[in-house]
Amino acid sequence: ELKVEQNPLFLSMQEGKNYTIYCNYSTTSDRLYWYRQDPGKSLESLFVLLSNGAVKQEGRLMASLDTKARLSTLHITAAVHDLSATYFCAQDKEGGSEKLVFGKGTKLTVNP
Amino acid sequence: GAGVSQTPSNKVTEKGKYVELRCDPISGHTALYWYRQSLGQGPEFLIYFQGTGAADDSGLPNDRFFAVRPEGSVSTLKIQRTERGDSAVYLCASSIPGGVEQFFGPGTRLTVL
């Protein structure tokens, strides 16, 4: 059974600071996803990581995948208020139905 | 281009009533997924369609929940004898054949009084 655990669940940080959100998963699937959700809105795809060592960057966000450690990280560089949202990581099982199993999410608040 | 659309955006119903939630996927996306998101939680998988058939319905919580996709495009999630615990946001997603990325709709917020 796929399990995905994120930490921290809540993160309050100041603008300009750096921080990392961690996502541990339970199986050896090589596919890991990061989504952003604003309050009352749907999920916006940020990154799809498909292989060990994959690193993707978009603006102030960088995601990486270590399949041996079953760990993905989402690193925030020089946070700005607009990054305030809830971030979810999710995993699926290649060759299965491709249903996504989500973590509980990390609610990020960036304070001025 | 048009994304995944869901109607209604909000639905308030009374306990015991029947509801239907509709999802219109991105054109050409043969895979369609339903998820349920409770307050403060991540989305939980309900059912997956590949074309017209339900390829995986292992996430449906009980037999009060049913979904159809008769023509391989629009899907309807049907909930009978609604209970207060069914209150959640129901999300629909779609993807291209063989695609790894799922694109989510805006969701339907269901409130059962």
Side-chain angles (χ1 to χ4, degrees), chain A residues 20-59:
Chain A
T20 300
I21 299 170
Y22 297 89
C23 175
N24 289 94
Y25 55 93
S26 62
T27 74
T28 55
S29 170
D30 291 336
R31 290 144 55 129
L32 198 291
Y33 306 78
W34 285 96
Y35 284 87
R36 169 181 171 147
Q37 187 175 42
D38 291 288
K41 304 293 186 183
S42 191
L43 296 161
E44 174 192 354
S45 178
L46 294 175
F47 302 108
V48 180
L49 304 170
L50 298 177
S51 61
N52 187 41
V55 177
K56 291 195 174 179
Q57 182 163 6
E58 180 74 33

Side-chain angles (χ1 to χ4, degrees), chain A residues 31 33 35 37 40-46 48 50 88 92 96-105, chain B residues 33 35 37 40-45 48 55-56 58 91 95 99-107 109:
Chain A
R31 290 144 55 129
Y33 306 78
Y35 284 87
Q37 187 175 42
K41 304 293 186 183
S42 191
L43 296 161
E44 174 192 354
S45 178
L46 294 175
V48 180
L50 298 177
F88 292 96
D92 69 4
S97 74
E98 300 173 355
K99 67 183 184 186
L100 292 174
V101 176
F102 285 84
K104 291 189 174 182
Chain B
Y33 307 78
Y35 294 85
Q37 186 175 23
Q41 301 294 316
E44 292 179 314
F45 169 78
Y48 158 61
D56 183 352
S58 62
L91 295 165
S95 67
V100 296
E101 193 168 359
Q102 295 181 24
F103 297 87
F104 282 80
R109 182 176 298 276

